[in-house]
Amino acid sequence: MATDTPLKQQAPRPEPALPELGPLGLLRWGWRQLTSMRTALFLLLLLSIAAVPGSIFPQRNIDAGRVADYIAQNPTTSPWLDRLGFFDVYASVWFSAIYLLLFVSLVGCIVPRTRVHVAALRARPPRAPARLHRLDEHAEVTTSLPPDEALDAARDALRRKRFRLHSHDTTSLSAESGHLRETGNLLFHLALTGIIVGMAVGHLLGWRGDIILAEGQKFASSAGTYNTISPGPWVDTETLPPFVLSLDKLDVEFNETPGRSFGTPRLFDAQTTLQRDPESSASRETVSVNHPITVDGADIFLLGNGYTPVITVRDAKGAVLYREATPFLPQDGNYRSVGVVKVPSAAPKQLGFTGFFLPTAEPTFQDGPVSLFPDTKNPELALSVWEGNLFPGGAPQSVYTLNTDEMKQVTKADGSPALIRLKPGQTYELPGDRGSITFDSVRRFAGLSVRTDPGASVSLVSAILATLGLILGLTIKRRRVFVRVAPAPETVGGDGRPATVVTIGGLSKDSDPGLAAIISAIATAVPDRLAERTDR
Amino acid sequence: MPTTLAANANAALYASMIVYTLAMLAFAWHLAARAPKVAASRVEEREEALVGAAAPHTPERRQGSRYAAGPGFEESLQSRQRGNIALMLTYLASALLVASVAMRGIAVARPPWGNMFEFATAASAAVGVAYSVLAKRNRWQWLGVFIVTPILLVLGLSLAVLYTEAGELMPALKSYWLGIHVSVAFIAVAFFTLAFAVGLLYLVRLRREESPPAKPNFIESLPSSATLERTAYSLNMVAFILWTFTLIAGAIWAKQAWGAYWQWDPKEVWTFVIWTVYAAYMHGRATAGVDHRKSMYIALAGYVCVIVNFTLVNLVSTFVGMHNYSGM
Ligand code: HEM
């Protein structure tokens, strides 16, 4: 290329000789390596590979229960996998290291490129090279227009095509267009950092709390009332929005047409009553999948649902020890659900029940407790009974699991384990005068999630800008066009009028089918101007 | 009423598969006609070279289009006729497929891409339409067989393995974002697919340019490897922009449906992996010192990720995440 500022910015540099570099030079060399496009390429590939394990191994951030199952099933490999972060890939040291390096590389790349680009925006297009016919695209026309008028015609044509123009002398013209390409490119890379900043803000200032709420229950939001709450490091949990929400009814429908989608959900709508703060009046709100409601900057989502059998446990004298709508968590598409009833007040030993709720029980139990349909067509509870110490060591534990370390399964008179099967309204007398358990009725529960993410809007705006930048950076072509005029050695048409030879050459940074069209448009602009003049 | 429409949709699907099969055969027939002509035109080329610089234009210039056939190749009338017949059949088949997708959409009163079967059919239709629109202008008859064959495979497999009765959507998918996010996703996939086919041909063409085979075949009638590479790049570029949009639209939808725009669930992971691999391809291509062949390998790897994203991630239970909306 015969231009003084090369269009290709990333010319291969000679490899620096290492031994001659001092510590500072080494540092500078390292920085240059880190911020080179080759390194960015390598880090991008590395990042994509590093992201994959997180989709293969269960992840704590998605489903901690599955991680626990996996560890239990693979006792030899999983401690190592765990130590290496394979169950928390996206928070692991190695994953973070890759994207942080990429982030540094990105910033280290944007800054100098911005400087270069600003200088390029101010600079004039370079002087026309001597031999324009050597350029990628070129054309030559001979006209009887005088040189300055021919150059004017070319100038107007280029201006109409939004080229920036400069004449270094009276016989040539230099034109340049497509600075918006690099502007777009920089905008894209800068916006990527904006997305990362937005994610960081969300992580630090956002929080989420999850609630399981049965039909008829009421929830008052405060730091202590959520089933689980995960606040960001900078969140003050004393300032959560003080709303009160009750679940009046959960409307659910499942597909009952036989076929592949038999039993798939059709509708989830939670009818709620919401009081935004203790002073305001209550209003009716519907929360459904894809349609959260917003309170004080927090969004309330309907993320799950299931069943809460209402269960009563009585002692031998008939006094009620336990009566609660007890949530059972669904395990499959037909809502075979597991749950636990803990009765610490039972005497002489504490009682625990664990087992399944089946909305549509397969009656024979030949393959164990199985549900055939997600709706309550034939609801049944199947439980086993344990007695002993419910809370060994007094340690806190999940309400959905029974710790049987210090418990013994209750057996019938013949020594076989007592297995309880109950339909709504039925009661089971526990063996050995331990009292009774009754399955009163079943209600649905809604799994609600309250979330805030103050960084989301930053990320969103950045993402939109990134897309815009990407479109500009990829579709706009960076072009240079040069025009030279010179007196022709012969006259045109032999009528003695002096003639001018106009040479046009253009080059483009990448494959550019449009360049040839521009060159020929300028080539035709010159005779057009002549025609205009003769018409006059 | 909707049931008859759904039945018509299926009938149109079968009809389009029959016509695509005919198109595939016609494209193969067309390629067969391209090959022997090459030998003859090679001789011409050599003669032209002997005459030397006297020839004012290179043959490629004379063709007028960057995307026209390779240097030294003059397409025979026979080859051209067969190519055009194949192209007509492709138009017809694609129109039938689009009609099938549309009828299914009307039958279920929602965007017809709510399950894997529907997505596969809609994506195939997008590949067919994208190819049909671009093929005429760029004279891509040589590409046809490499596009129509995979379409047939995908349609056949999805009918056999994934077929789902037209029905209502599960609540998780009831959002206008289904229309936006998913349609842009499969249009992106359509462009990735075209780019993949051209990319493969580029690699073959390049190898045969570097060490010319004893017996030329239709590969030698293709545009030059440099042109094929540029074509693949342009297609990948369009696809990459669309994929970027898919990613962002998906995140917006996730925020609305699940309250968090990014949770690294397997589908999100693979969408991201695809995006970074193609970003690496874009970088490789723009970096001096990384040759285009290596960059193309990255793009092909990206396409493998696209396939994994649609097949393994949806079907294998290892990849369980939020996108498997099974009641909970
Ligand atoms: C998060 C990491 C990055 C991503 C996702 C990314 C993505 C992209 C994409 C998609 C392009 C468009 C390709 C093209 O214009 O042909 C591009 C171009 C470019 N990137 Fe990056 N990039 C990243 C980091 C970097 C870094 C660290 C550098 C610094 C060395 C860099 C330097 C460039 C340059 C110079 C171009 C322009 C190439 C051209 O004009 O054709 N990028 N990048």
Side-chain angles (χ1 to χ4, degrees), chain A residues 48 51-52 55 90, chain B residues 119 181 184-185 188-189 192 239-240 242-251 261-262 264-279 302 305-310 313-314 319 323:
Chain A
S48 57
V52 172
S55 71
Y90 308 104
Chain B
F119 186 90
H181 167 69
V184 178
V189 168
F192 279 136
F240 182 71
L242 293 170
W243 196 254
T244 306
F245 184 84
T246 304
L247 190 75
I248 294 170
Y261 58 87
W262 199 262
W264 295 106
D265 109 304
K267 203 80 194 176
E268 289 173 348
V269 171
W270 280 89
T271 306
F272 173 77
V273 166
I274 291 164
W275 191 78
T276 45
V277 172
Y278 278 99
C305 295
V306 171
I307 303 286
V308 168
N309 189 33
F310 182 64
V313 177
N314 284 346
F319 300 96
H323 275 80

Side-chain angles (χ1 to χ4, degrees), chain A residues 10 38 41 48 51 55-56 61-62 90 199 260 265-266 290 301 305 335 451 453 459 463 467 470 474 510-511, chain B residues 161 163 168 170-172 174 230 248 253 255-259 261 263-264 269-270 276 280 288-289 318-319 327:
Chain A
Q10 304 282 334
R38 264 168 181 277
L41 165 62
S48 57
S55 71
I56 296 171
N61 67 325
I62 294 182
Y90 308 104
M199 289 178 128
R260 193 184 280 250
R266 287 287 168 259
N290 278 318
F301 296 88
N305 69 94
Y335 286 59
R451 301 184 177 203
D453 185 348
S459 293
T467 314
L470 188 67
L474 286 176
D510 198 50
S511 64
Chain B
V161 184
Y163 183 73
E168 219 189 311
M170 55 172 78
K174 281 183 189 156
R230 276 198 301 268
I248 294 170
W253 188 9
K255 172 96 177 103
Q256 207 178 75
W258 304 323
Y261 58 87
Q263 318 187 74
W264 295 106
V269 171
W270 280 89
T276 45
T318 327
F319 300 96

